[in-house]
Amino acid sequence: MTNYLRILFACTTLAGVACSAGETPAAAAPAAKPVAPAAKPAVTPAATPAAAQPAPAPAAAGGVRYRQPATGGNLTFSFIQADAANQGSFEKFSTELVYDEKNLAASKLDVTVQVTSLQTHDKDRDDTLKSADMLDTAKYPTARYSAGSLARNARGGIEAVGKLTLRGVTRDLRVPLQIKSTAGGLEISGELPIKRLDFGVGQGDWKSTEWVGDEVKLQFKVPLARTG
């Protein structure tokens, strides 16, 4: 009986070993490949705003330009000689005006006078006025008035604010202007007194005001055509 149990145990042990040997061990599952992280979407950098550009400066308010036609207009002067009123004129002169009625400070007036063109209808008097002791036209053939702006005066009228150069002397001078619209542009007119001795008109015996007064009155009326 003992031997029988031994044999039975041995057989059982051999059978278990055979069964174990016949089983193929399960292959180890390959390690899962690491999942590559999803590619991050390309980030487009926000467009950098362009540097703020300064706003364009407003165009300077420009006035309308006017010019005296080749013919037309008058510029006269009057004075007292030997207690009598005398009058003369300048036959050649040119006038340019830049006018902005809403911006008088930006307006301009320029007048050039050919002094040699003076005419009083008396040759001896004309020669005296053109002489070196008076206007000295041989040395100073032109006179010029240049105003860099216009302005309102105390009475509400318009004045040119500028300088008159006559006989080589330059002085401040405000010229009252009446400005009237016309079919072709404007007409300017006015009158004003000046002192001839302020500009050296009167040397030697002519400095005396006994025979020729110091005050000379200028009058003008000039048509101006629009040019721009």
Side-chain angles (χ1 to χ4, degrees), residues 35-195:
V35 178
K40 294 183 180 180
V43 177
T44 302
T48 303
Q53 297 297 320
V64 179
R65 190 174 298 275
Y66 300 87
R67 182 173 296 166
Q68 178 185 348
T71 60
N74 58 73
L75 174 59
T76 63
F77 59 95
S78 57
F79 58 98
I80 300 298
Q81 180 183 11
D83 296 326
N86 292 272
Q87 189 169 8
S89 63
F90 294 101
E91 302 298 306
K92 296 180 181 179
F93 64 99
S94 62
T95 307
E96 292 189 6
L97 173 69
V98 176
Y99 182 56
D100 184 345
E101 62 180 334
K102 295 183 179 179
N103 187 4
L104 294 178
S107 302
K108 299 178 182 180
L109 175 65
D110 193 86
V111 182
T112 300
V113 180
Q114 303 299 321
V115 185
T116 53
S117 71
L118 74 84
Q119 174 67 257
T120 67
H121 303 288
D122 184 305
K123 186 179 184 307
D124 289 341
R125 183 166 53 208
D126 290 353
D127 290 343
T128 298
L129 290 174
K130 294 177 182 180
S131 69
D133 283 342
M134 296 296 279
L135 290 166
D136 197 1
T137 59
K139 188 174 182 179
Y140 306 104
T142 62
R144 184 183 180 193
Y145 179 72
S146 181
S149 65
L150 304 184
R152 294 282 178 185
N153 58 27
R155 299 180 299 278
I158 295 177
E159 291 182 334
V161 182
K163 296 179 182 294
L164 173 62
T165 299
L166 174 64
R167 203 180 183 277
V169 177
T170 300
R171 291 189 178 273
D172 293 334
L173 186 66
R174 297 175 77 97
V175 177
L177 296 175
Q178 293 182 358
I179 302 176
K180 183 175 71 174
S181 295
T182 64
L186 297 175
E187 178 187 85
I188 59 172
S189 60
E191 63 177 48
L192 71 154
I194 63 171
K195 303 289 188 179

Side-chain angles (χ1 to χ4, degrees), residues 189-207:
S189 60
E191 63 177 48
L192 71 154
I194 63 171
K195 303 289 188 179
R196 65 178 178 88
L197 294 177
D198 286 348
F199 296 90
V201 180
Q203 300 294 312
D205 293 340
W206 293 108
K207 279 186 178 181

